[in-house]
């Protein structure tokens, strides 16, 4: 017999400030608005869980001006019913992820959401170093900083400054580091047009690129499918996954487009449960995948890392996108730490 737990959810808005402007082809971020969920229960006094809801105003399908009101309504439903209603929340991934994280944190009684070698502090997760868009000199400086810090996988944001300058940055990496020394990933955030994309990918392909994320804007499946067929570079889908919540539609889209990889962000792509469904769909369609944070604070980052360790097994070999813990000047202290090119959890 199911006994309903007496949950209470407090919502605490929090604004985080970037150490340096974070540039993408969609614009530049200087601050980040999140809503922290603090979960308690009258049945287990003294225990609490914490989750983070962090929509991106220009990207998340559930962002709205009345975001907090909608979030409060879902939390009220959760308090009343004692469980997460995935059917109602499927189109609100950032809210779902925050509530899932708060519940997992409450049940675990700590930041250790799942029992894995990572959460026991036995193994680190390899991560990529992220180089944000900026001027040529800024990007070059950030790139050299990541390489000197010991990163063996570096991701460059492209598609905003002059393409020839971006190409020169990529060339500079390869002049000093072989593909066996540094894995180079690119993220265009939909910055190329369908007419120019293949030509640019051909120019980039001479520099042994691991993959490029979302070269053109989403919801152009015929163009994207053609690119995936003809591109000399492996293509990874990112924004393309937003708003697709049913496992059958996930598989349908992947079978139509046939990407080499998908990049999964739980805050954008269905929360924890949706992320696991995307991993399964990719495996069925013979596509690779990795999991990445979506500019959350350390609360969300820890949850994404814990999920990645659970999903990909005891030894995560592919670099994950979990290097965002050092983005903010006013981040929240959690047990996650970066050491070299790996993220560690210190129980």
């Amino acid at each position: 017999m199911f006994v309903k737990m007496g949950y209470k959810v407090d919502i605490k808005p929090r604004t985080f400030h970037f150490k340096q402007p974070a540039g993408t082809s969609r614009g530049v971020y200087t601050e980040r608005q999140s809503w922290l969920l603090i979960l308690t229960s009258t049945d287990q006094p003294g225990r609490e869980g914490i989750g983070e809801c962090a929509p991106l105003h220009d990207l998340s399908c559930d962002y709205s001006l009345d975001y907090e009101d909608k979030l409060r309504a879902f939390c009220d439903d959760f308090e009343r019913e004692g469980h997460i209603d995935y059917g109602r929340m499927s189109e609100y991934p950032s809210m779902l992820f925050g509530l899932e994280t708060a519940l997992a944190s409450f049940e675990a009684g700590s930041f250790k959401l799942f029992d894995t070698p990572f959460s026991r502090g036995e193994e680190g997760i390899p991560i990529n170093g992220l180089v944000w868009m900026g001027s040529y000199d800024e990007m070059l400086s950030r790139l050299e900083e990541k390489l000197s810090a010991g990163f063996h996988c570096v991701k460059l944001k492209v598609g905003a400054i002059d393409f020839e300058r971006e190409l020169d940055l990529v060339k500079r990496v390869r002049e000093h580091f072989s593909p066996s020394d540094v894995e180079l990933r690119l993220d265009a955030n939909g910055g190329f047009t369908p007419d120019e994309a293949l030509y640019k990918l051909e120019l980039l392909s001479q520099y042994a690129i691991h993959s490029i994320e979302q070269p053109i804007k989403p919801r152009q499946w015929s163009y994207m499918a053609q690119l995936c067929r003809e591109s000399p570079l492996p293509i990874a889908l990112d924004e393309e996954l937003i708003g697709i919540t049913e496992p059958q539609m996930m598989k349908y889209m992947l079978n139509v487009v046939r990407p080499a990889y998908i990049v999964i962000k739980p805050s954008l792509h269905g929360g924890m449960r949706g992320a696991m469904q995307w991993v399964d769909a990719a495996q069925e369609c013979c596509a690779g995948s990795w999991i990445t944070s979506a500019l959350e604070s350390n609360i969300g980052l820890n949850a994404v890392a814990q999920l990645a360790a659970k999903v990909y097994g005891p030894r995560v070999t592919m670099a994950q996108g979990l290097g965002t813990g050092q983005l903010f000047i006013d981040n929240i202290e959690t047990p996650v730490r970066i050491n070299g090119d790996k993220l560690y959890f210190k129980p």
Side-chain angles (χ1 to χ4, degrees):
M1 178 179 175
F2 174 74
V3 179
K4 187 179 73 172
M5 182 83 75
Y7 291 119
K8 183 177 186 299
V9 184
D10 289 322
I11 302 174
K12 298 186 180 297
R14 179 75 178 264
T15 301
F16 298 96
H17 300 87
F18 284 86
K19 293 178 181 178
Q20 60 186 25
T24 75
S25 61
R26 295 186 304 273
V28 178
Y29 296 102
T30 57
E31 62 181 32
R32 182 77 164 93
Q33 181 65 49
S34 290
W35 286 264
L36 301 180
L37 303 184
I38 310 300
L39 176 62
T40 56
S41 172
T42 55
D43 299 308
Q44 297 187 39
R47 177 181 288 241
E48 72 174 30
I50 184 169
E52 180 181 8
C53 304
L56 292 164
H57 68 85
D58 56 351
L59 192 58
S60 297
C61 61
D62 56 354
Y63 178 82
S64 65
L65 294 178
D66 60 346
Y67 183 90
E68 188 170 339
D69 292 337
K70 291 181 178 177
L71 177 59
R72 181 69 263 170
F74 282 125
C75 291
D76 289 345
D77 290 342
F78 175 75
E79 290 176 350
R80 184 172 55 254
E81 298 167 8
H83 63 88
I84 297 173
D85 188 327
Y86 282 94
R88 256 182 291 176
M89 294 193 70
S90 64
E91 296 180 2
Y92 300 86
S94 66
M95 300 183 197
L96 176 56
F97 177 61
L99 198 50
E100 285 176 312
T101 301
L103 182 57
S105 171
F106 178 87
E107 291 176 343
S110 70
F111 286 112
K112 179 183 174 182
L113 306 186
F114 310 109
D115 185 26
T116 64
F118 170 74
S119 68
R120 294 194 296 269
E122 299 168 1
E123 294 180 2
I125 297 176
I127 61 176
N128 62 253
L130 179 58
V131 177
W132 293 99
M133 287 178 176
S135 69
Y136 176 85
D137 291 336
E138 287 172 336
M139 292 182 70
L140 179 59
S141 175
R142 293 168 191 168
L143 174 60
E144 291 173 342
E145 178 185 321
K146 296 298 180 186
L147 295 174
S148 63
F151 281 93
H152 293 91
C153 177
V154 177
K155 179 167 133 179
L156 283 171
K157 294 277 189 178
V158 297
I161 66 173
D162 179 72
F163 180 72
E164 293 300 321
R165 305 278 275 173
E166 292 174 339
L167 197 63
D168 188 58
L169 272 175
V170 174
K171 179 181 178 182
R172 185 179 288 251
V173 175
R174 280 292 169 251
E175 286 175 345
H176 295 90
F177 298 94
S178 70
S180 60
D181 293 327
V182 173
E183 181 179 281
L184 195 53
R185 298 177 183 174
L186 305 179
D187 184 1
N189 287 123
F192 301 159
T193 67
D195 291 339
E196 69 185 5
L198 185 59
Y199 171 69
K200 290 184 173 181
L201 296 182
E202 288 171 346
L203 292 177
L204 289 165
S205 67
Q206 60 189 311
Y207 300 112
I209 306 300
H210 171 271
S211 58
I212 183 165
E213 295 177 35
Q214 203 68 43
I216 63 175
K217 293 185 185 305
R219 303 298 180 264
Q220 302 180 84
W221 289 4
S222 60
Y223 286 120
M224 187 67 86
Q226 183 178 357
L227 265 186
C228 289
R229 287 195 305 270
E230 299 178 0
S231 171
L233 287 182
I235 290 176
L237 301 186
D238 179 354
E239 288 91 337
E240 202 72 65
L241 280 53
I242 294 173
I244 301 176
T245 60
E246 295 297 325
Q248 287 305 115
M249 183 55 72
M250 295 174 182
K251 295 172 189 175
Y252 176 76
M253 186 275 287
L254 293 179
N255 274 314
V256 169
V257 178
R258 289 289 175 180
Y261 302 99
I262 61 172
V263 185
I264 304 165
K265 297 181 174 74
S267 284
L268 294 174
H269 304 143
M272 288 190 180
R273 189 169 82 161
M276 291 187 281
Q277 291 170 335
W278 274 114
V279 171
D280 291 342
Q283 289 176 341
E284 284 195 32
C285 298
C286 299
S289 68
W290 65 87
I291 291 177
T292 180
S293 57
L295 307 185
E296 299 94 349
S297 76
N298 280 338
I299 299 298
L301 173 64
N302 173 67
V304 177
Q306 298 272 336
L307 179 65
K310 176 186 179 181
V311 166
Y312 294 119
R315 291 188 178 275
V316 184
T317 56
M318 179 175 283
Q320 308 293 299
L322 304 174
T324 57
Q326 299 171 325
L327 288 179
F328 306 111
I329 60 175
D330 44 8
N331 214 330
I332 295 173
E333 186 70 16
T334 67
V336 290
R337 301 284 185 277
I338 293 177
N339 186 2
D341 66 346
K342 288 189 176 182
L343 184 75
Y344 291 88
F345 182 84
K346 302 297 183 182

